[in-house]
Amino acid sequence: MCLYREIIKYNCGHEHIPQEFQESPLCLFRADRRICRGELGVYRVLETTVNDWCQMCRPMAARAPLPGAINLLIAVTPQALDHELASQKAERERLNTDTRTPGRGPAPGRLQQINGIAQISLTAHVQSPAMFNSAVCAWIIKYIASLAPWMDRVSLMETVRPWFAELLDEDYQICARPNLKSAHCEHMLDDIMVWTKKNLV
């Protein structure tokens, strides 16, 4: 079973990293724990983008602008300060270092095996209708993005891609885009219509 630590990112640039390890509801390597607890590092780092302000910045963001055209045009939005950004960057780097994920993949034959196990497991997972909804799709995207960069993450994303148009509304697309970008798959949203669950009229 994969363990993970989570980095929660907000619109203001602030980040929150819960201290506890969690067990991932999805693990593509249940048949061989040596892979997800050793060959890929001891844990995954999942990045969760929240399309909202953090608790500290939410009151400032909700504050109505003062009367006057200038104030309306130059609206001050909350954002993380430089020293906060530097501190968060250092914490992210420490978190990623502590995963002990190898900088290089294993020998080609073993790498092919690992990619094959992941592909078979993911294919079986996405064929279960009861397990597949918007939240699960978004989670799978985050999980794939958290895997070692020397794995074939693009092929894994391609397995999930047919469900993007149906399951990812505007908010889910905003939150999934950073994960897709980190796996070099951001282009997979280019031909998908942006839809919203909100009533526009």
Side-chain angles (χ1 to χ4, degrees), residues 20-59:
E20 64 276 6
F21 285 90
Q22 300 182 66
E23 284 194 350
S24 170
L26 171 66
C27 178
L28 300 181
F29 309 101
R30 293 180 186 274
D32 191 346
R33 293 181 59 180
R34 294 174 302 172
I35 298 175
C36 62
R37 296 288 184 89
E39 292 177 88
L40 299 182
V42 292
Y43 63 88
R44 315 282 81 75
V45 175
L46 268 68
E47 296 190 1
T48 298
T49 299
V50 178
N51 187 25
D52 199 355
W53 311 102
C54 72
Q55 275 191 320
M56 182 174 63
C57 292
R58 199 169 294 149

Side-chain angles (χ1 to χ4, degrees), residues 111-179:
L111 180 56
Q112 186 176 11
Q113 284 182 330
I114 292 174
N115 284 325
I117 292 169
Q119 187 65 63
I120 291 170
S121 181
L122 181 61
T123 300
H125 185 80
V126 300
Q127 288 174 350
S128 171
M131 293 291 292
F132 215 77
N133 55 51
S134 297
V136 172
C137 182
W139 179 267
I140 293 173
I141 291 170
K142 285 194 298 185
Y143 175 84
I144 294 172
S146 76
L147 295 173
W150 36 261
M151 282 189 62
D152 189 1
R153 297 181 295 173
V154 174
S155 291
L156 294 174
M157 288 291 188
E158 286 287 0
T159 302
V160 190
R161 187 179 186 179
W163 285 270
F164 286 1
E166 179 182 354
L167 297 177
L168 300 182
D169 65 13
E170 181 180 20
D171 193 61
Y172 274 112
Q173 286 190 34
I174 290 170
C175 297
R177 189 173 291 276
N179 300 119

Side-chain angles (χ1 to χ4, degrees), residues 54-91:
C54 72
Q55 275 191 320
M56 182 174 63
C57 292
R58 199 169 294 149
M60 185 189 303
R63 198 177 301 159
L66 297 172
I70 293 179
N71 289 316
L72 289 172
L73 291 172
I74 309 174
V76 178
T77 55
Q79 59 183 16
L81 302 176
D82 288 345
H83 74 274
E84 292 175 316
L85 294 173
S87 176
Q88 291 173 175
K89 180 181 179 183
E91 181 64 13

